[in-house]
Amino acid sequence: MNTLIHSAPSMDKDLPLKEDIRLLGRILGDTVREQDGQAAFDLVENIRQTALRFHRARESRAKIELETILAKLDHEESISVVRAFSFFSQLANIAEDLHHNRRRRAHQIAGSAPQEGSMALALERVREAGITREEITAFFNHSLISPVLTAHPTEVQRKSILDCQRQISRLLDERTRMQLTPDELADNDEALRRLVLSLWQTRILRAARLSVKDEIENGLAFYRYTFLRELPNVYGHLEDALAALLGDKIALPPFLRMGSWIGGDRDGNPFVTNEVMLYAVRRQSSMAMDFYLDEIHQLGMELSQSRRLVNVTPALEELVAASPDKSDHRLDEPYRRALVGVYSRLAATSKSLDHHPAERRPIGNAAPYADCTEFARDLDILTDSLEQNGAALIVRGRLRNLRRALDVFGFHLSALDMRQHSSIHEQVVDELFRRGADREGYPGLLESERELWLLRELETPRPLRSMHIEYSELVQKELAIVDMAKEIHRRYGAAALPNYIISKTDGVSDILEVALLLKEAGLLHPGSEPRLAVNIIPLFETIADLRNSGAVMDALFSLSYYRKLLASRGNVQEVMLGYSDSNKDGGYLTSSWELYKAEVELVKVFAKHGVELRLFHGRGGTVGRGGGPAYQAVRAQPPGSVNGQIRITEQGEVIASKYSDPEIGRRNLETLIAATMEATLLDSDRLGGETATYHGVMEALSADAFHAYRSLVYDTPGFVQFYRAATPINEIADLHIGSRPSSRKTSENIEDLRAIPWVFSWSQSRIMLPGWYGFGTAVEKFVAREGEEGLELLHQMHRTWPFLQATLSNMDMVLAKSDMSIATRYADLVSNAKLREDIFGRIQAEWERTVKYLLLITGHPELLKNNRTLARSIRNRTPYIDPLNHLQVNLLRRFRAGDTDERVKRGILLTINGIAAGLRNSG
């Protein structure tokens, strides 16, 4: 018993995964034994095996044994055991990710058919569908595909831990890709042991709550890990694939670009200020410039061509003449001399943008670049000269990627979005009207009256605010934000801060209020042809708001003034749809259906007014917040809702799982492009004559699911009491996982709780309620009404409708991660026996109904039958996620009984961290 990580039976192709897990388990086991003693090792292994018996056989004897073992643990033992299982989980994740890469390479080497979600398969399908070169070119010229990183705090791992994990992954990969000598293998083994020991001796939890600046730095780490190098690679590989498909070279525009909310999203976060927003943009810009400076330096080392052997273009001669490099050693090396000049100008540019000095001091002084275009021109001169003089192959290396990086990242790196809640805008506008225009009563006006007030002010050139009036702190802060936005545009360009998102939009006035604030800052220029410098984006979040979204946009587009503003933005209107709050409001099935219906209605409204629609999907990590495979999600969108234009939030732990590994990161980016291409160019009308029937069935299912969900969550007396006792929601508030408060305001109401901790807490207890509750009841009622014909219709819908396929696939995943036997232990924390039995009894019965009808509709004999990879992953991780749940329950019981020892609280927070790491998409 030398390993603490369980290895499930697997096929031969999974043997390398088994070996990696065994290796890491053995090293961690040895580390536990060496650091904490043999008794600690034996204790951990005993708990693992007992928890495994309880999981596999649901043995009551195993449950009693487990509870007895855990009850006897002292505080130090509890923490040691929790840390052991948390690190087991992290190491298994590393092995899983590496195995995904290994299997993908194996498929490529074997010449296997392209896999679903790959660019190769997407291009093959496009070719088979007879899509023309012109249509493909138009798609890329028109497209905007943008993953948007957010700081939503379900990523509970520290950067120190992530960096160590990446080093472990690198060493494991080395063992896979290279044939190591005995000495090299011994060195590799020792390096792995050093890293695992470092992990064991590193604090898992943060000592203090993250600041927004910390979140900004954490987000930027993924540019170093993946985005700065892999985005250019994605473009290069795609251009090569398109050239092979179309028969000649194609130059892609920068259609795939990154976005961010980190430092611009102040909805409910008082710590996002104008200074913080400037810090975010400055740091982003600084990272881009540092990357360019380093790449130019590396190019200078590579481009050693001599005049004695090659010719250069006249334009390059001009660059050489302008260079401050007069060294005798490089007189015959024109490219190196030119790059010294480029470096000097770039260093001067970085300094002018208020960054830290360049790491390598430039040779001589030079004028900064006025903008990216000038820098791009110099890179193009280098490219042209090399291509015209026999070095086109050299261009395809670092220079090609650098040139593409500049197209994608500019001098700003990423587009930062501003976001604020509509109720805040209402308060600000009300005070501006009262103090600046002697107009009282704005909040009490009818919607039509509000619009008239706002339009009248928007058409007036004079400002509404006065420098002679002292406004409230709220108004000062909000005006400081838009003023800073104007300054950021001046300093870093409009691309650095292009969007303003309005949370909880429910009327046209919410959009016009933001327009008025932008006008006050000079970001909206009034007049007969008004111009808008920022996209104003409504966010529809609740079920009611989703249902009303089409009407709001129809009314907005009917305003001639707004249409003029929109014309200044290229006649493109972005709309954001909120998955998290709609789910908390109406449950999983209803939220999914209302989002789909809202998109269908928006497509109609936009077509009616001749406005181009761009949808921004506010998806979270877990299924309860819109999570799930991006390929399926994009392909499942209604016809006409994608059209090459899509933005998607990347939140929480999903960011690390998708983008901390460069190879996995590149694959995820390619998948997003493939899905968008297929959704835009292929089979737009998938339902044909079945549309009305399918939609009618979904409407009926949604109504019953909504009633079941609302009945439990909002209409059951004592539900909040049950929820707060049967999940670690109160303790989660003390885990330093983000800068944002867990509730928008002090309240015990579910309505006021943020969707992230709501979902996160249900994940911790393994109930996963937001990802499935209500579905079983809905289908049961439908089948009771329609009989076997109704069930057959659901079979047919699942076979032919991507929307239902994605919806049920995601539910399948979340049900597989849930565990009602473990959930019973959390339910036992509810002291009121009648309340516990009533509510948990309903939850357990609904879970059983949901699993039953899910399997009946899909025709599968068990959960995840058609997703062997995920089933294997869950099977591998279960033996050490489960013990963390059992330990968490035990520690919660102690803590709530009055044991306030700091080690108990720390143990609880460690279990929260470990379970989240094991489940991966948990919040």
Side-chain angles (χ1 to χ4, degrees), residues 14 22 78 143 178 214 276 320 325 355 412 450 454 497 510 526 536 583 598 610 641 669 702 729 734 890 894 921:
D14 290 336
R22 282 174 173 165
S78 295
S143 290
M178 299 172 60
D214 293 327
V276 166
V320 174
D325 184 11
H355 301 158
H412 63 284
R450 287 189 178 198
L454 292 163
L497 198 74
D510 292 330
I536 303 176
N583 180 286
S641 64
L669 293 168
S702 175
I729 179 60
D734 290 326
N890 193 61
R894 290 188 199 179
N921 59 340

Side-chain angles (χ1 to χ4, degrees), residues 355-382:
H355 301 158
H356 56 79
E359 181 180 345
R360 298 176 186 86
R361 189 173 178 178
I363 297 175
N365 297 320
Y369 288 114
D371 52 33
C372 298
T373 307
E374 289 191 357
F375 180 33
R377 183 201 62 206
D378 284 355
L379 294 181
D380 289 342
I381 289 171
L382 291 163

Side-chain angles (χ1 to χ4, degrees), residues 53-62 818-822:
R53 278 198 292 125
F54 178 53
H55 173 82
R56 284 179 172 171
R58 303 293 189 263
E59 294 180 15
S60 58
R61 180 177 155 193
S818 64
D819 190 310
M820 285 298 114
S821 61
I822 288 177

Side-chain angles (χ1 to χ4, degrees), residues 607-638:
K608 169 187 170 183
H609 290 278
V611 176
E612 188 173 348
L613 170 63
R614 179 190 301 137
L615 284 173
F616 185 5
H617 298 268
R619 305 170 76 229
T622 190
V623 168
R625 297 186 53 242
Y631 176 79
Q632 282 185 314
V634 175
R635 291 289 282 120
Q637 300 305 305

Side-chain angles (χ1 to χ4, degrees), residues 124-165:
E124 186 176 299
R125 287 173 172 169
V126 164
R127 178 183 56 79
E128 290 173 350
I131 305 299
T132 66
R133 175 194 172 88
E134 290 70 26
E135 290 172 312
I136 294 172
T137 304
F139 166 77
F140 286 110
N141 287 339
H142 171 73
S143 290
L144 172 64
I145 302 172
S146 180
V148 180
L149 305 187
T150 81
H152 287 220
T154 53
E155 171 50 72
V156 293
Q157 297 216 49
R158 297 175 60 209
K159 183 175 175 296
S160 300
I161 300 290
L162 287 172
D163 286 342
C164 198
Q165 290 172 356

